[in-house]
Amino acid sequence: MIEKILVANRGEIARRIVRTAKQMGIKTVAIYSVSDEQALHRFDADESYLAGESPSSESYLKQEKIIEIALIAGCQAIHPGYGFLSENAAFAEKVESAGLLFIGPSVESIRTMGDKLAAKQLAKANGIPLLPGSEIPIADLKKAKEMAQFIGYPILLKAAGGGGGKGMRIVKQEGELDQLLRMASSEAHQSFGDDRVFVEKYLENPKHIEIQVMADQHGNAVHIFERDCSIQRRHQKVIEESPAPTMDLDLRQKMTDAALKLTKACNYRGAGTIEFLVDQTGQFFFLEMNTRLQVEHPVTEAISGIDLVRWQIDIANGKPLPLTQDQITIKGHSIELRVYAEDTTNNFSPSLGKIIHYDEPVGQHIRVDSAVAKDFDVPIYYDPMLAKLIVWGEDRSDAINRLKQAIAQYHILGIDTTLPLGLFVANHPDFENGHYSTHFIQTHFDSAAWHQSIRESALIASLVAAAKRRATMHIPQENRELSDHWKGRKFS
Ligand code: MV4
């Protein structure tokens, strides 16, 4: 039985894992880097160890060092969280060779699903619908042209060793193919050390819908419904929700059947996510499987009442799944907003600096998974995501209203965040009615108009604050006139 876990991660997910471990009576060990010396995840855990310098490659990705810490601290297991080493088969292998449990799937599942072509092959063999495309890597330009002609433009070039959008190139016509193929291949080589690229028909206005699965070591597997992750910007997800707003029972049945088939076909164990694209006619196509706990897992927890991290740990301990499929039901609706430290008025550039005021929304059906606080310096070395705001409602419109209220109660000063972008999406009629695709932000987000509206709302906020002060403070008559002077002023 696991009595002590090393959490090989940082930020909100490290805290999230520690929280459940504590509830289960399991001790936790955190690792941290030089720039994370004051990071909250360190102090949540029972113990913490310096893994190395600030760059991830010198700390959170130091495989041997992390395993050594786990052994010295007397851990029986390592939880990788998401990102970093979570989908690294070689790491999982080393963890197991050291006599530790890897809280995740087997080395073989990670390896198979990490190879996007192998994953597609397995999906195809199991009768799961795929987009038309090449089943082997593109050998040369001539082969690429033949394939593209056969499928029809636009096509999408994808990295076999990749996923998540890296190394992807949309090709609209043959004339662009040569150059884009070189770019995709070299980006794939740089990012994944694997230059293999394949071709797929490019689906123009899809929804991005994924199925959460959980499998134990006794051959049982269940799904915990779907998440709609279509609202994203340049492959960075902004809003996720469950259930998907436009899902019907028939499509859900087909998609969850397919997801479970694939889960069983790869002898899966633990938490996994099967990604699909869904077109406007309701056809769905398998994209890839993510062999980890995902960032957006809390919306699934909110509608199912299941603690996915608890299940992961119990599964690693060899326990059977505690519920059967028909005991897992959807209650209500949940939406997650990712809060990034980015300047929405400046092309989403990273917003660095110190948080001088931090006030999280609180209340029933509001959950904030965060790793920041007042006086916290946002380090430049890692992902810019500061927090996740998760709300639950009786139905979707209830959840959207609660999201709007929660955003209004979330105050972060000192750096720019994507909170106002969340409000923009939540207020948009096409979000409310569910008529959107992965291009929602690209289509509706007008940078110039946005810049103006942010300035205006900042101005209104300052005028309201000034008016409140005037109403509650005694201001000498002569100063009052001075402040009235601001009323007629134009701000641009
Ligand atoms: C696609 C696609 C359209 N057609 N594949 C993005 C992440 C990775 N898991 C796979 N992704 C996509 N694959 C085909 N054949 C659309 C996406 C996609 C996307 C593409 C461009 C811009 C934003 C996107 C957001 C979600 C999914």
PDB file of all heavy atoms in Angstrom, residues 354-373:
ATOM      1  N   LYS A 354       5.025  40.983  -9.951  1.00  0.00           N
ATOM      2  CA  LYS A 354       4.551  40.598  -8.631  1.00  0.00           C
ATOM      3  C   LYS A 354       3.040  40.829  -8.513  1.00  0.00           C
ATOM      4  O   LYS A 354       2.527  41.841  -8.978  1.00  0.00           O
ATOM      5  CB  LYS A 354       5.284  41.420  -7.569  1.00  0.00           C
ATOM      6  CG  LYS A 354       5.098  40.879  -6.140  1.00  0.00           C
ATOM      7  CD  LYS A 354       5.682  41.827  -5.087  1.00  0.00           C
ATOM      8  CE  LYS A 354       7.141  41.615  -4.828  1.00  0.00           C
ATOM      9  NZ  LYS A 354       7.483  40.325  -4.211  1.00  0.00           N
ATOM     10  N   ILE A 355       2.360  39.880  -7.905  1.00  0.00           N
ATOM     11  CA  ILE A 355       0.932  40.049  -7.629  1.00  0.00           C
ATOM     12  C   ILE A 355       0.817  40.914  -6.372  1.00  0.00           C
ATOM     13  O   ILE A 355       1.291  40.522  -5.303  1.00  0.00           O
ATOM     14  CB  ILE A 355       0.248  38.678  -7.442  1.00  0.00           C
ATOM     15  CG1 ILE A 355       0.285  37.908  -8.775  1.00  0.00           C
ATOM     16  CG2 ILE A 355      -1.179  38.847  -6.928  1.00  0.00           C
ATOM     17  CD1 ILE A 355      -0.267  36.494  -8.699  1.00  0.00           C
ATOM     18  N   ILE A 356       0.223  42.103  -6.513  1.00  0.00           N
ATOM     19  CA  ILE A 356       0.178  43.000  -5.356  1.00  0.00           C
ATOM     20  C   ILE A 356      -1.150  42.915  -4.598  1.00  0.00           C
ATOM     21  O   ILE A 356      -1.263  43.357  -3.470  1.00  0.00           O
ATOM     22  CB  ILE A 356       0.479  44.469  -5.758  1.00  0.00           C
ATOM     23  CG1 ILE A 356      -0.516  44.959  -6.805  1.00  0.00           C
ATOM     24  CG2 ILE A 356       1.918  44.597  -6.260  1.00  0.00           C
ATOM     25  CD1 ILE A 356      -0.434  46.450  -7.053  1.00  0.00           C
ATOM     26  N   HIS A 357      -2.155  42.336  -5.271  1.00  0.00           N
ATOM     27  CA  HIS A 357      -3.432  42.116  -4.581  1.00  0.00           C
ATOM     28  C   HIS A 357      -4.030  40.838  -5.146  1.00  0.00           C
ATOM     29  O   HIS A 357      -4.039  40.641  -6.363  1.00  0.00           O
ATOM     30  CB  HIS A 357      -4.375  43.297  -4.813  1.00  0.00           C
ATOM     31  CG  HIS A 357      -5.726  43.095  -4.194  1.00  0.00           C
ATOM     32  ND1 HIS A 357      -5.984  43.363  -2.859  1.00  0.00           N
ATOM     33  CD2 HIS A 357      -6.880  42.611  -4.712  1.00  0.00           C
ATOM     34  CE1 HIS A 357      -7.246  43.064  -2.603  1.00  0.00           C
ATOM     35  NE2 HIS A 357      -7.807  42.603  -3.703  1.00  0.00           N
ATOM     36  N   TYR A 358      -4.496  39.945  -4.249  1.00  0.00           N
ATOM     37  CA  TYR A 358      -5.051  38.683  -4.733  1.00  0.00           C
ATOM     38  C   TYR A 358      -6.251  38.278  -3.895  1.00  0.00           C
ATOM     39  O   TYR A 358      -6.151  38.088  -2.692  1.00  0.00           O
ATOM     40  CB  TYR A 358      -3.982  37.570  -4.691  1.00  0.00           C
ATOM     41  CG  TYR A 358      -4.455  36.281  -5.322  1.00  0.00           C
ATOM     42  CD1 TYR A 358      -4.510  36.159  -6.707  1.00  0.00           C
ATOM     43  CD2 TYR A 358      -4.869  35.207  -4.542  1.00  0.00           C
ATOM     44  CE1 TYR A 358      -4.964  34.989  -7.293  1.00  0.00           C
ATOM     45  CE2 TYR A 358      -5.325  34.029  -5.126  1.00  0.00           C
ATOM     46  CZ  TYR A 358      -5.361  33.934  -6.509  1.00  0.00           C
ATOM     47  OH  TYR A 358      -5.824  32.783  -7.087  1.00  0.00           O
ATOM     48  N   ASP A 359      -7.372  38.175  -4.570  1.00  0.00           N
ATOM     49  CA  ASP A 359      -8.632  37.902  -3.894  1.00  0.00           C
ATOM     50  C   ASP A 359      -9.419  36.881  -4.721  1.00  0.00           C
ATOM     51  O   ASP A 359      -9.900  37.209  -5.802  1.00  0.00           O
ATOM     52  CB  ASP A 359      -9.399  39.233  -3.809  1.00  0.00           C
ATOM     53  CG  ASP A 359     -10.309  39.292  -2.608  1.00  0.00           C
ATOM     54  OD1 ASP A 359     -10.354  38.306  -1.848  1.00  0.00           O
ATOM     55  OD2 ASP A 359     -10.985  40.328  -2.446  1.00  0.00           O
ATOM     56  N   GLU A 360      -9.526  35.638  -4.217  1.00  0.00           N
ATOM     57  CA  GLU A 360     -10.231  34.587  -4.960  1.00  0.00           C
ATOM     58  C   GLU A 360     -11.726  34.610  -4.662  1.00  0.00           C
ATOM     59  O   GLU A 360     -12.117  34.898  -3.533  1.00  0.00           O
ATOM     60  CB  GLU A 360      -9.693  33.204  -4.570  1.00  0.00           C
ATOM     61  CG  GLU A 360      -8.383  32.860  -5.221  1.00  0.00           C
ATOM     62  CD  GLU A 360      -7.859  31.492  -4.777  1.00  0.00           C
ATOM     63  OE1 GLU A 360      -8.502  30.816  -3.958  1.00  0.00           O
ATOM     64  OE2 GLU A 360      -6.780  31.109  -5.276  1.00  0.00           O
ATOM     65  N   PRO A 361     -12.550  34.272  -5.657  1.00  0.00           N
ATOM     66  CA  PRO A 361     -13.982  34.159  -5.374  1.00  0.00           C
ATOM     67  C   PRO A 361     -14.221  32.966  -4.446  1.00  0.00           C
ATOM     68  O   PRO A 361     -13.533  31.950  -4.543  1.00  0.00           O
ATOM     69  CB  PRO A 361     -14.605  33.911  -6.742  1.00  0.00           C
ATOM     70  CG  PRO A 361     -13.518  33.319  -7.566  1.00  0.00           C
ATOM     71  CD  PRO A 361     -12.236  33.901  -7.046  1.00  0.00           C
ATOM     72  N   VAL A 362     -15.168  33.104  -3.551  1.00  0.00           N
ATOM     73  CA  VAL A 362     -15.543  31.990  -2.691  1.00  0.00           C
ATOM     74  C   VAL A 362     -17.048  31.816  -2.747  1.00  0.00           C
ATOM     75  O   VAL A 362     -17.771  32.749  -3.097  1.00  0.00           O
ATOM     76  CB  VAL A 362     -15.107  32.201  -1.213  1.00  0.00           C
ATOM     77  CG1 VAL A 362     -13.619  32.008  -1.047  1.00  0.00           C
ATOM     78  CG2 VAL A 362     -15.550  33.563  -0.705  1.00  0.00           C
ATOM     79  N   GLY A 363     -17.525  30.654  -2.399  1.00  0.00           N
ATOM     80  CA  GLY A 363     -18.968  30.447  -2.370  1.00  0.00           C
ATOM     81  C   GLY A 363     -19.303  29.030  -2.763  1.00  0.00           C
ATOM     82  O   GLY A 363     -18.433  28.260  -3.194  1.00  0.00           O
ATOM     83  N   GLN A 364     -20.569  28.706  -2.594  1.00  0.00           N
ATOM     84  CA  GLN A 364     -21.039  27.373  -2.928  1.00  0.00           C
ATOM     85  C   GLN A 364     -20.867  27.139  -4.425  1.00  0.00           C
ATOM     86  O   GLN A 364     -21.169  28.023  -5.229  1.00  0.00           O
ATOM     87  CB  GLN A 364     -22.513  27.264  -2.545  1.00  0.00           C
ATOM     88  CG  GLN A 364     -22.770  26.086  -1.655  1.00  0.00           C
ATOM     89  CD  GLN A 364     -24.259  25.770  -1.577  1.00  0.00           C
ATOM     90  OE1 GLN A 364     -25.102  26.616  -1.888  1.00  0.00           O
ATOM     91  NE2 GLN A 364     -24.562  24.561  -1.174  1.00  0.00           N
ATOM     92  N   HIS A 365     -20.384  25.956  -4.762  1.00  0.00           N
ATOM     93  CA  HIS A 365     -20.237  25.558  -6.167  1.00  0.00           C
ATOM     94  C   HIS A 365     -19.185  26.355  -6.920  1.00  0.00           C
ATOM     95  O   HIS A 365     -19.225  26.453  -8.140  1.00  0.00           O
ATOM     96  CB  HIS A 365     -21.579  25.618  -6.895  1.00  0.00           C
ATOM     97  CG  HIS A 365     -22.662  24.885  -6.185  1.00  0.00           C
ATOM     98  ND1 HIS A 365     -22.485  23.612  -5.673  1.00  0.00           N
ATOM     99  CD2 HIS A 365     -23.933  25.237  -5.858  1.00  0.00           C
ATOM    100  CE1 HIS A 365     -23.599  23.217  -5.089  1.00  0.00           C
ATOM    101  NE2 HIS A 365     -24.491  24.187  -5.175  1.00  0.00           N
ATOM    102  N   ILE A 366     -18.263  26.971  -6.180  1.00  0.00           N
ATOM    103  CA  ILE A 366     -17.119  27.631  -6.806  1.00  0.00           C
ATOM    104  C   ILE A 366     -15.860  26.954  -6.280  1.00  0.00           C
ATOM    105  O   ILE A 366     -15.699  26.788  -5.068  1.00  0.00           O
ATOM    106  CB  ILE A 366     -17.077  29.139  -6.464  1.00  0.00           C
ATOM    107  CG1 ILE A 366     -18.280  29.846  -7.089  1.00  0.00           C
ATOM    108  CG2 ILE A 366     -15.767  29.766  -6.958  1.00  0.00           C
ATOM    109  CD1 ILE A 366     -18.403  31.305  -6.694  1.00  0.00           C
ATOM    110  N   ARG A 367     -15.002  26.532  -7.182  1.00  0.00           N
ATOM    111  CA  ARG A 367     -13.739  25.901  -6.803  1.00  0.00           C
ATOM    112  C   ARG A 367     -12.617  26.638  -7.520  1.00  0.00           C
ATOM    113  O   ARG A 367     -12.732  26.920  -8.709  1.00  0.00           O
ATOM    114  CB  ARG A 367     -13.775  24.426  -7.214  1.00  0.00           C
ATOM    115  CG  ARG A 367     -12.414  23.723  -7.239  1.00  0.00           C
ATOM    116  CD  ARG A 367     -12.584  22.228  -7.562  1.00  0.00           C
ATOM    117  NE  ARG A 367     -11.307  21.587  -7.801  1.00  0.00           N
ATOM    118  CZ  ARG A 367     -11.140  20.310  -8.156  1.00  0.00           C
ATOM    119  NH1 ARG A 367     -12.208  19.539  -8.291  1.00  0.00           N
ATOM    120  NH2 ARG A 367      -9.953  19.807  -8.363  1.00  0.00           N
ATOM    121  N   VAL A 368     -11.580  26.972  -6.783  1.00  0.00           N
ATOM    122  CA  VAL A 368     -10.402  27.582  -7.413  1.00  0.00           C
ATOM    123  C   VAL A 368      -9.198  26.690  -7.115  1.00  0.00           C
ATOM    124  O   VAL A 368      -8.870  26.455  -5.960  1.00  0.00           O
ATOM    125  CB  VAL A 368     -10.144  29.011  -6.893  1.00  0.00           C
ATOM    126  CG1 VAL A 368      -8.908  29.608  -7.575  1.00  0.00           C
ATOM    127  CG2 VAL A 368     -11.356  29.911  -7.140  1.00  0.00           C
ATOM    128  N   ASP A 369      -8.597  26.178  -8.161  1.00  0.00           N
ATOM    129  CA  ASP A 369      -7.347  25.424  -8.017  1.00  0.00           C
ATOM    130  C   ASP A 369      -6.238  26.377  -8.446  1.00  0.00           C
ATOM    131  O   ASP A 369      -6.118  26.690  -9.635  1.00  0.00           O
ATOM    132  CB  ASP A 369      -7.353  24.172  -8.903  1.00  0.00           C
ATOM    133  CG  ASP A 369      -8.186  23.032  -8.304  1.00  0.00           C
ATOM    134  OD1 ASP A 369      -8.951  23.291  -7.349  1.00  0.00           O
ATOM    135  OD2 ASP A 369      -8.069  21.896  -8.797  1.00  0.00           O
ATOM    136  N   SER A 370      -5.469  26.853  -7.490  1.00  0.00           N
ATOM    137  CA  SER A 370      -4.476  27.869  -7.823  1.00  0.00           C
ATOM    138  C   SER A 370      -3.185  27.599  -7.079  1.00  0.00           C
ATOM    139  O   SER A 370      -3.113  26.746  -6.197  1.00  0.00           O
ATOM    140  CB  SER A 370      -4.993  29.257  -7.457  1.00  0.00           C
ATOM    141  OG  SER A 370      -4.984  29.405  -6.053  1.00  0.00           O
ATOM    142  N   ALA A 371      -2.165  28.352  -7.454  1.00  0.00           N
ATOM    143  CA  ALA A 371      -0.878  28.208  -6.768  1.00  0.00           C
ATOM    144  C   ALA A 371      -0.242  29.573  -6.584  1.00  0.00           C
ATOM    145  O   ALA A 371       0.966  29.706  -6.559  1.00  0.00           O
ATOM    146  CB  ALA A 371       0.032  27.289  -7.567  1.00  0.00           C
ATOM    147  N   VAL A 372      -1.090  30.601  -6.484  1.00  0.00           N
ATOM    148  CA  VAL A 372      -0.553  31.958  -6.323  1.00  0.00           C
ATOM    149  C   VAL A 372      -1.199  32.653  -5.127  1.00  0.00           C
ATOM    150  O   VAL A 372      -2.204  32.201  -4.592  1.00  0.00           O
ATOM    151  CB  VAL A 372      -0.772  32.809  -7.596  1.00  0.00           C
ATOM    152  CG1 VAL A 372       0.028  32.247  -8.754  1.00  0.00           C
ATOM    153  CG2 VAL A 372      -2.245  32.886  -7.968  1.00  0.00           C
ATOM    154  N   ALA A 373      -0.590  33.737  -4.731  1.00  0.00           N
ATOM    155  CA  ALA A 373      -1.083  34.520  -3.603  1.00  0.00           C
ATOM    156  C   ALA A 373      -0.509  35.938  -3.723  1.00  0.00           C
ATOM    157  O   ALA A 373       0.321  36.201  -4.602  1.00  0.00           O
ATOM    158  CB  ALA A 373      -0.645  33.884  -2.286  1.00  0.00           C
TER     159      ALA A 373
END
